[in-house]
Amino acid sequence: LSHPFFNASETTAKKDCVWVFTSNRGLCGGFNSNLLRRTETFFKSDMVDYQLLDVNVIGKKGREFFKARKREVKNVYLDYAENLSPEKSLEIANEMLTGYLNGDYSEYWIAYNQFKSALVQEVTIEKIVPLSSSEEKVIDQTQSQNLVDYVYEPSKTEILENLIPRLVAIQLYRAHRESLASELGARMTAMENASNNAKDMIRLLTLEYNRLRQAAITTELMDIVNGAESIK
């Protein structure tokens, strides 16, 4: 794994780019606010000493959040909030890898809501460039004798060169789909809670109305009874 995309940048000056996936619409509970507050905390705690920090925002809510906090946003993509195709993901991935090789950025990060269930969305911030390789497993001599050295056509290097952009692209595309599913789940939960709260409010107001109506009827009956008694 001597490929440059698997090696961390040797420069000490960190220049990072973060893509934040939010929504264009509200009424989805804490979907956007939880993600954006966690991302802002990440910026202030882990990236405060970075030489350069560029933020690319997907969705209107992210733009409004950072604008209110006077944080400069490099690019805003409103269309990607609901529609990010695999082809566009691959185009963005190639731009990321080119920027990494040219030294424009030393790292690329993505921040999004990972879908767990309709009730649970987990804020996730992860680095996608440079790529991280899994730790080597210790293989004893018996196991090493059973390993097969496959013949690749085209070469291993050419295959890797084609797979790496697709790997980054599928991470972007997955983050978008996770974010979209989380948004829909959060909106469904928020609307269900709003409906339940409205029903509870109607029930309490109905009880209060009936109580006041009965009190008014009782008062009128007492006036009639008192009037009848006074005539006698």
Side-chain angles (χ1 to χ4, degrees):
L1 296 177
S2 59
H3 196 282
F5 292 136
F6 286 96
N7 301 325
S9 177
E10 297 179 357
T11 179
T12 57
K14 292 288 189 179
K15 296 184 292 184
D16 280 28
C17 181
V18 182
W19 286 70
V20 184
F21 290 79
T22 64
S23 67
N24 284 332
R25 297 175 295 163
L27 300 177
C28 48
F31 169 79
N32 290 302
S33 59
N34 292 339
L35 170 68
L36 292 169
R37 284 199 299 266
R38 174 68 180 85
T39 304
E40 185 69 16
T41 302
F42 177 70
F43 290 160
K44 293 178 179 179
S45 60
D46 294 15
M47 296 186 170
V48 65
D49 297 327
Y50 281 25
Q51 183 185 28
L52 175 67
L53 175 59
D54 283 340
V55 180
N56 291 325
V57 173
I58 295 177
K60 187 184 299 182
K61 293 300 179 180
R63 179 187 64 181
E64 295 173 353
F65 177 87
F66 290 117
K67 183 179 179 180
R69 283 155 181 78
K70 310 297 182 183
R71 180 177 291 278
E72 185 178 353
V73 174
K74 184 176 182 182
N75 295 303
V76 178
Y77 303 94
L78 301 183
D79 295 339
Y80 296 169
E82 298 178 0
N83 184 22
L84 179 63
S85 64
E87 292 77 17
K88 193 62 183 180
S89 299
L90 183 58
E91 181 181 331
I92 296 173
N94 284 319
E95 292 176 0
M96 285 183 173
L97 296 175
T98 301
Y100 178 77
L101 289 178
N102 293 338
D104 299 334
Y105 298 104
S106 56
E107 295 174 340
Y108 285 88
W109 295 75
I110 53 176
Y112 63 97
N113 279 289
Q114 186 175 3
F115 181 82
K116 296 296 184 181
S117 69
L119 298 174
V120 180
Q121 298 84 38
E122 181 179 332
V123 174
T124 304
I125 301 175
E126 58 186 18
K127 181 172 62 178
I128 60 173
V129 176
L131 305 173
S132 60
S133 59
S134 58
E135 297 181 0
E136 292 187 14
K137 296 180 179 180
V138 179
I139 303 175
D140 59 30
Q141 187 174 3
T142 305
Q143 289 177 311
S144 63
Q145 293 175 355
N146 298 326
L147 295 178
V148 178
D149 186 14
Y150 293 96
V151 176
Y152 291 87
E153 180 63 34
S155 66
K156 298 178 183 179
T157 303
E158 291 179 80
I159 292 176
L160 197 59
E161 290 289 347
N162 281 276
L163 286 180
I164 288 176
R166 297 178 184 277
L167 173 60
V168 177
I170 201 63
Q171 287 180 293
L172 285 169
Y173 185 68
R174 179 183 62 84
H176 170 259
R177 306 311 282 182
E178 293 269 5
S179 179
L180 187 59
S182 297
E183 178 190 349
L184 296 175
R187 179 168 288 111
M188 182 183 70
T189 302
M191 293 300 99
E192 183 178 0
N193 290 336
S195 298
N196 292 336
N197 291 337
K199 291 177 182 178
D200 292 339
M201 184 179 295
I202 291 172
R203 180 177 57 81
L204 293 175
L205 288 175
T206 301
L207 288 175
E208 184 66 20
Y209 169 77
N210 289 335
R211 188 178 297 112
L212 293 174
R213 182 173 61 87
Q214 291 170 0
I217 293 172
T218 302
T219 302
E220 291 177 0
L221 289 175
M222 290 298 297
D223 290 341
I224 294 172
V225 171
N226 291 335
E229 288 294 331
S230 63
I231 292 174
K232 291 180 182 180

